[in-house]
Every structure is written in C-alpha cells, then in structure tokens.
Amino acid sequence: MGDMAGRRTDARQKMVSAARELLREQGYHATALSDVLRRSEAPRGSVYFHFPGGKAELAVEAAALHSQEQVSAIDSAAAAATSPAELVRAYLERARTNLVASDYRQGCTIAPLVIESTRDSDELDAVGRRSFETIIAALAGHFVAFGLAPDDARRLADVTVAGAEGALITARALRDPAPFDAMIDVLTRGIA
Amino acid sequence: MGDMAGRRTDARQKMVSAARELLREQGYHATALSDVLRRSEAPRGSVYFHFPGGKAELAVEAAALHSQEQVSAIDSAAAAATSPAELVRAYLERARTNLVASDYRQGCTIAPLVIESTRDSDELDAVGRRSFETIIAALAGHFVAFGLAPDDARRLADVTVAGAEGALITARALRDPAPFDAMIDVLTRGIA
DNA sequence: CCGATGCTATGTCGGTCGTCATACATGTCA
DNA sequence: TGACATGTATGACGACCGACATAGCATCGG
C-alpha cells in the first residue's frame, strides 16, 4: 500500500528528473520520450499512465521541479548572505558551477521551453512565464528583506535572472566561464 | 546566365532568411524544412540542391547571416555613439525593439543552436561559438577604440551579449520588456 | 536539333508519439 | 487458505511526419 504508492511516486519522480536533465542538455523537441525512458529506466507505457498529458505534461513538471529547486537554493543562499550582492553572486555562481561541472552541457531547464515556443499545450506555453516569475519573486523578496525598495528589488531580481540565463548561453557556446565572472562583477558593483 | 545565377542566389537567400526567422521563433528542431519552404515560397525539392548538407547547413548559414547583421548594426551604432555606454545601450535596445515589434516571438537565432545541442553536424556545433565570438569581438573592438583597455573591453562585450541573450529569454517569457530596461541601467552605470 | 546542366516533384526510409490489449500485483471474500 | 476482482503497469502496434535520395523536367549552349 504505502509501498505501492511509494513505488509509483518513485517512478514518476525518476521520469521527471530524467526529463529535467535532458531538457537542460538538449531542449524540448530534441528530447524523445525514448530518451527519457532509457535514462529513467522506465517502460514506455508508463508515461501515459503517470502523465496523461504526455510529453508536454512531463516537461511542465520538469520545469516546476527546476524552479522549485532554484527557489530552495535561493532561500538557502539568502540565509547565508548578508547583502543583496552576496545573494546575486551566489545565484550566478550556482549556475556557473553546474554548467562547468557538466562539461558545459547542462544549462537552464526553462529557457528551451521559452525559445522553442512549443504549441504542444497551453500549460507548456505558460510554464516559462510562471517559472521565471516564481524565481524572480523569490529573489526580490529576499532583496526587500535586505532593505531594498520593492521596485529596486524587482529590477535587481530581473537582471540577476536575465544575467544568469545569458551567461549560461554564452559561456556554454564559448566553453568558457568568463561571462559569468564578468556578469557577477557588473551586477554586484554599486549595490550594497 | 546573370539571370539564372541571380535567381539561384535569390532563392537561396530567401530560404536562409526564412530559416533565420523560424529559428528565432521556434528553434532548430521545431522548425521543419517544410516550414522553411512554405515561408520562403520555394519549391519543395530544392533544399538538397542548394544545401547539400541539408537542414544543418541551412541553419549554419542562417546563423552566419544573423551574426553578420549584428556586426553591421554594431558598426553603425558605434559610428553614431560617443561612448561605450551608448553602444551597449544601442545593442540592447535593438534586441528589445525586435522582440517587442514581433509580439515577443523573435528572439536570438544563435541561442537555440546552443541550447538544443544538436549533434547533427560538426559545423552546427561550432557555429554557436564562432557567431558569439564574432559579435563579441566586434563590440570589444569598438570599446577599445573608445579608449578601454583590451581586457575591460572584452569583459564589457561579454556582459553586453550575455545581458542581451538573457533579457531576450526572460522578457519573452514574461512578455514584458522590463528586463531590458533594468539590464541597460546596470550595464551602463559606472562606465564612461 | 541535340546534349548538358541546373532545378524540381515524387518516393522511401527512419523515427516519434500516443493508444490498446494483455499481464500483474494487491487486497478481498468465501 | 485459495480463488477472485480491481485497478495498475507494460510491451507491442499503428499512424504520422520528418529528412533525405533519386528520377524526371525545363532551360540553355552548341
């Protein structure tokens, strides 16, 4: 009973996790369901059972997982930080570390969903907006707690996320983390 | 003769142009050759003739076209600018204008090629790096002409391109140009 | 008029997604 | 205890769509 539910959740989670990895590496359309199944060691028929919406629903959940992890990381970093600048730095360094550690393979999970403009499902169209909004709101909330005015906090959150996304793309293309360092310098200069 | 060559070049160019638009809107894998043919009003069978390398070669040329246009725009903007900050602003505003004018559909042509990590061809893997390198070099060159030290110029060019890429993604997802404005503020603050 | 070259329409093959009939495990009841 | 019923899980199948190759056509030069 608990076992069954546990297994079910387990298989689901493994699929979502595998989908997230593949999205980060290859994007949406380049990732076949068979890729996800191979990596998660799940049988083909399970997809439709766990995700009636098919591939689109799987991607939506993968994006949700990604943004949740980002928010968790932001909260942890904020607890350890003493200024907005430190939180900005932590956020960008986390992205850089993941990218370099994966040999410039793993970027952002959400970006491909935005760029590939998938008309597969309405949810999938909306998930990019929701995910970024969630992450930006989390950052902005902590910036306000550090004493910034709400408008300034929002703007700083915007550039932090945009800076990370852009650095992920260019650093990945160049196979060089320099854009991250330069971006961190610019973003943390002139703010407390 | 001249006519024939002209027609041939014309058809080629229209296909490359259509491919570039579709890449900006949908990315690589979501764009079918049939989409390119429909938009370019080219005959169905002529792809392989004009582009023996197939879809990958078409994408490479589209990326090359994109980066060439970027460099041209940079040169023009640099001629009209009097400081690095003005060039940075012009570069970002151009991206923002294109995005908003297309109702948040047209992003960057190169980014999807990086993100979708296509193993379709070696050229395609390399084109992302080359294209960004070209654009960054163009920007950095003008920054040096404005008096910046080479290292500083390169760093500023890195963040300018990364900032534009990131703003394109987040602004597109949010359907709001605010990230561009915030990024422009941050990047032009503290530099001559 | 004929040969050759640039150019195009059609066919083929491979791959992906979604579905379905079947096998299974678990909990139930005689 | 042992057979059954219920809802879950799976491997195989079919329809579709993609890129690519080839055979045929128009056009031009000799």
Side-chain angles (χ1 to χ4, degrees), chain A residues 165-189:
Chain A
E165 293 297 323
L168 276 173
I169 293 177
T170 53
R172 192 174 173 186
L174 299 175
R175 297 187 66 85
D176 180 343
F180 275 102
D181 298 330
M183 186 63 76
I184 290 172
D185 275 4
V186 171
L187 296 187
T188 58
R189 185 170 304 158

Side-chain angles (χ1 to χ4, degrees), chain A residues 86-104:
Chain A
E86 284 181 22
L87 179 52
V88 169
R89 174 183 295 274
Y91 184 77
L92 286 169
E93 283 189 345
R94 180 180 151 87
R96 181 183 57 184
T97 300
N98 282 336
L99 180 68
V100 175
S102 66
D103 193 33
Y104 298 94

